[in-house]
């Protein structure tokens, strides 16, 4: 079968493999041979192997000098992915990691110990059933380890690595469907066991996606137009949120700084600010047009 006149089949197929996913709809309409090729399971396998397949709603975590990209949705079929890709900033190369085992999960919590491990917790399966299961990915050995199940199902939970322990905050069970809990669970790495459930860690039953741990070990989150910090057992406002990031997309903490990305309203451009946690003053960051699209997840990596 001749895909592109004058080119060997393997070379022509490699050209199709590198087509941007936004152009695939055009590709399949060109001719029957291109349609047959691009819709084949082997074509999708080769795109994944070449790291040219693109995904939506992926999760990212920094581990040492690596950037780990987990899961996501196929932008054409909306199939949940179990793939893992790792970008190393020293060699400037991508590599394929071992696929996530178990059920295909979405909207899971994830966190890194910043050394070699990435933890995946909760989320939901293909039938929208919230999950209690959790696991860890060892980037050095390229292998997955099972953790004991959490005490509760936790869909759309937030995972944070704090004081050497994995904290899983909020989320909701299958029956609650979007009605978030205020509780949290803590996993002790040394004993490989979950500790008792922390009741009412959050003041309000809300999505915990903005919750982060600062370099000072304090928990921060955005709520009601403020940045609030957990001091003792109470959440206290420490700074007003800038008006043009009132709809928060992502919050990241590093070196006495808090990075906030958000918009002023629906379909408004994304803006980025950095809060100095020493004096609680904001600095607006330049956001080039090519980096102003939707943000699903983010992380901090020091090169």
């Amino acid at each position: 079968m001749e895909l592109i006149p004058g080119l060997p089949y393997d070379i022509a197929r490699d050209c199709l493999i590198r087509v941007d996913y936004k152009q695939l709809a055009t590709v399949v309409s060109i001719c029957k041979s291109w349609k047959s090729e691009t819709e084949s399971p082997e074509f999708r396998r080769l795109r994944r192997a070449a790291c040219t397949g693109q995904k939506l709603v992926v999760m990212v975590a920094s581990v040492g000098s690596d950037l780990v990209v987990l899961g996501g949705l196929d932008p054409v079929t909306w199939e949940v992915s179990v793939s893992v890709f790792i970008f190393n900033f020293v060699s400037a190369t991508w590599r394929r990691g071992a696929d996530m085992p178990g059920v295909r999960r979405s909207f899971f919590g994830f966190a890194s110990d910043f050394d070699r491990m990435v933890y995946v917790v909760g989320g939901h399966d293909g039938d929208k059933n919230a999950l209690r299961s959790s696991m860890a990915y060892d980037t050095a050995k390229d292998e997955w380890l099972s953790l004991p199940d959490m005490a509760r199902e936790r869909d759309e939970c937030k995972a944070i690595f704090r004081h050497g322990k994995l904290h899983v905050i909020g989320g909701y069970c299958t029956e609650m469907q979007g009605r978030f809990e205020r509780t949290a669970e803590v996993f002790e790495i040394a004993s490989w066991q979950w500790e008792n459930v922390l009741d009412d860690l959050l003041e309000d039953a809300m999505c915990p996606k903005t919750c982060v741990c600062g370099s000072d070990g304090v928990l921060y989150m955005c709520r009601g137009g403020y940045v609030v910090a957990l001091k003792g057992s109470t959440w206290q406002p420490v700074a007003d949120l800038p008006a043009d990031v009132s709809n928060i997309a992502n919050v990241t903490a590093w070196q006495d700084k808090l990075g906030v990305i958000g918009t002023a309203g629906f379909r408004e451009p994304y803006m980025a600010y950095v809060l100095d946690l020493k004096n609680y003053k904001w600095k607006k960051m330049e956001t080039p047009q090519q980096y102003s699209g939707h943000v699903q997840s983010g992380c901090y990596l020091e090169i």
Side-chain angles (χ1 to χ4, degrees):
M1 178 174 62
E2 192 174 56
L3 293 175
I4 300 177
L7 287 181
Y9 171 77
D10 289 349
I11 294 177
R13 183 183 60 188
D14 285 347
C15 292
L16 292 180
I17 285 172
R18 285 161 174 76
V19 170
D20 187 276
Y21 82 91
K22 295 179 181 178
Q23 304 302 321
L24 286 178
T26 302
V27 168
V28 299
S29 67
I30 297 297
C31 61
K32 291 182 179 179
S33 62
W34 285 19
K35 185 176 188 295
S36 175
E37 181 68 29
T38 55
E39 291 180 348
S40 69
E42 177 66 7
F43 181 82
R44 291 194 294 271
R45 186 191 69 79
L46 290 171
R47 274 178 67 87
R48 289 194 297 268
C51 298
T52 55
Q54 298 182 28
K55 300 181 290 180
L56 301 175
V57 201
V58 297
M59 306 301 184
V60 295
S62 61
V63 186
S65 59
D66 288 338
L67 182 70
V68 182
V69 182
L70 303 162
L73 302 175
D74 186 293
V76 177
T77 66
W78 293 97
E79 180 183 19
V80 175
S81 174
V82 296
S83 62
V84 176
F85 293 96
I86 303 101
F87 182 79
N88 182 267
F89 279 88
V90 176
S91 63
T93 57
W94 285 96
R95 68 181 187 271
R96 180 72 185 265
D99 287 351
M100 289 190 290
V103 300
R104 292 177 178 266
R105 68 179 71 210
S106 302
F107 294 94
F108 50 83
F110 62 100
S112 162
D113 67 356
F114 306 106
D115 180 23
R116 61 185 287 172
M117 305 294 288
V118 175
Y119 297 87
V120 171
V121 294
H124 65 249
D125 64 17
D127 294 321
K128 304 295 184 183
N129 294 311
L131 302 171
R132 297 171 55 210
S133 57
S134 52
M135 52 191 174
Y137 175 63
D138 188 326
T139 59
K141 293 184 178 180
D142 187 30
E143 66 180 24
W144 287 91
L145 306 172
S146 295
L147 274 65
D149 285 351
M150 294 182 288
R152 304 187 184 185
E153 299 172 342
R154 293 187 183 273
D155 196 1
E156 294 193 59
C157 55
K158 181 64 182 282
I160 294 172
F161 211 77
R162 181 187 185 217
H163 300 321
K165 299 180 180 181
L166 176 66
H167 292 64
V168 184
I169 301 170
Y172 51 85
C173 64
T174 304
E175 290 73 20
M176 297 299 285
Q177 284 301 319
R179 288 175 287 177
F180 288 89
E181 291 191 16
R182 298 162 59 188
T183 64
E185 299 186 44
V186 179
F187 186 73
E188 170 61 63
I189 306 299
S191 64
W192 211 247
Q193 292 181 341
W194 291 98
E195 298 178 355
N196 294 332
V197 174
L198 301 176
D199 293 323
D200 302 329
L201 177 71
L202 301 176
E203 283 191 350
D204 300 311
M206 61 183 294
C207 177
K209 72 174 184 178
T210 67
C211 193
V212 296
C213 180
S215 57
D216 53 4
V218 174
L219 292 181
Y220 296 89
M221 68 184 305
C222 299
R223 188 190 67 196
Y226 300 95
V227 174
V228 296
L230 182 61
K231 298 186 176 182
S233 59
T234 60
W235 291 90
Q236 301 177 17
V238 295
D240 293 347
L241 275 172
D244 48 0
V245 290
S246 56
N247 294 305
I248 304 297
N250 184 259
V251 179
T252 305
W254 74 95
Q255 294 184 353
D256 298 318
K257 301 289 192 299
L258 197 71
V260 177
I261 299 175
T263 68
F266 182 62
R267 291 186 177 177
E268 294 293 325
Y270 280 81
M271 301 293 179
Y273 284 82
V274 173
L275 177 67
D276 189 321
L277 296 176
K278 292 182 178 179
N279 56 28
Y280 299 120
K281 292 183 178 180
W282 290 101
K283 178 181 180 181
K284 188 174 184 178
M285 308 299 292
E286 181 182 357
T287 310
Q289 180 64 34
Q290 65 267 35
Y291 300 114
S292 61
H294 174 70
V295 178
Q296 175 63 30
S297 66
C299 66
Y300 159 70
L301 187 148
E302 185 173 354
I303 304 173

